[in-house]
Amino acid sequence: MTALVQLSADKLLNSFSPHMLFLNSEPSASGFAVWSHGLFYLVDIALLLLGIGALQQKKTRAIGVSFLLALPFFAAPVVINLTSEWYLLRSFFSYTLLLLVITWGAFAWWQSRFRWILVAIYTLSVLNFASQYFVRYPVMGADAGFFQERVLTQYISWVRQKYPQEPIIVYTIDPPILLSSYLLHSGSVSDETVDQIAQAFRDETYKFDNITFQNTCVDDDDGITLGITEAIRDRCRSLTDSSADTTKITIPALKDSGSVYEILNDTVCGQYDLGTFLQVNDLEQFRLSGLNEELFCKQWITDLKKVS
């Protein structure tokens, strides 16, 4: 019982952590979180203190006491939940109360002759948040947005342009999902292909043209078949397997350059001097269809065996 009370108290305190509220929010790859920004602006610290002070006045003291008592009550979803610590939505009503107090502080500041300082600071704060949300966050969250599947699709398109008859085998734990992703990103769904696609899903063969998506490991011993495997699955041999003498290159994760897909017996990108990590300098690099073969390979394909 004591441990449960302690856990609930910790969750309640953590939901109002100044670090999360004003510096770094929860590192979640979702539309509700921004890794490098708090839930509120830094200037809101001053406004929160001003608001608390304003609510201590005789006319507003009852409102201030009501807000104070309501905070832990509205944080109840955080306290009673024992599965995770996702505060953003579970403490939504508590954060709304804090926003009301901040608004009260902003109103108090607005009554002074320094109101335009507040306008200037808030304008800079909003611009800083906008740059993070619309520029930095899409890059940080790209791994959760199936960006590697786009890279995989573009790689396959280069292979098919040079070797249209070459069979391609893709290992994945979930063939229908990855096939659907490929069809979407490649724009392969049309009146001419819809029957073929429907038949592949009905038969559970998950094959489109000469590309087969399967949940059995790609045979990398023949040294011929172009195979692509999900590197995070431990059912198949990985790049760290020293016994694997097959040439392998990788489609890496955007945030840390770790291997997401391994490409076996490559016939396109291996001819170029590939790096060992990703380096993004321009948002145009994300426009995969605008890159030629060499630029695409050097930018989005890596050779992790060079690390060893």
Side-chain angles (χ1 to χ4, degrees), residues 11-64:
K11 285 179 175 289
L12 179 61
L13 293 175
N14 289 337
S15 65
F16 296 104
S17 164
H19 187 273
M20 184 184 73
L21 293 179
F22 302 106
L23 294 177
N24 286 299
S25 185
E26 294 176 287
S28 172
S30 76
F32 304 103
V34 181
W35 286 337
S36 52
H37 199 286
L39 296 178
F40 301 100
Y41 299 116
L42 282 173
V43 67
D44 289 335
I45 298 176
L47 298 181
L48 180 62
L49 295 176
L50 280 175
I52 293 174
L55 290 174
Q56 297 305 310
Q57 297 177 7
K58 188 175 181 179
K59 293 182 179 180
T60 56
R61 189 171 299 163
I63 298 176

Side-chain angles (χ1 to χ4, degrees), residues 48-124:
L48 180 62
L49 295 176
L50 280 175
I52 293 174
L55 290 174
Q56 297 305 310
Q57 297 177 7
K58 188 175 181 179
K59 293 182 179 180
T60 56
R61 189 171 299 163
I63 298 176
V65 173
S66 300
F67 279 10
L68 182 63
L69 295 176
L71 278 177
F73 175 76
F74 284 149
V78 171
V79 175
I80 64 177
N81 178 70
L82 300 177
T83 58
S84 66
E85 298 180 351
W86 194 22
Y87 302 117
L88 291 170
L89 292 184
R90 295 189 180 115
S91 291
F92 170 78
F93 291 109
S94 296
Y95 298 150
T96 302
L97 279 183
L98 288 180
L99 185 59
L100 291 175
V101 177
I102 290 171
T103 304
W104 214 293
F107 179 76
W109 191 336
W110 193 255
Q111 305 306 309
S112 72
R113 59 179 178 175
F114 302 109
R115 64 180 65 179
W116 299 114
I117 296 178
L118 178 62
V119 173
I121 295 175
Y122 244 96
T123 300
L124 293 175

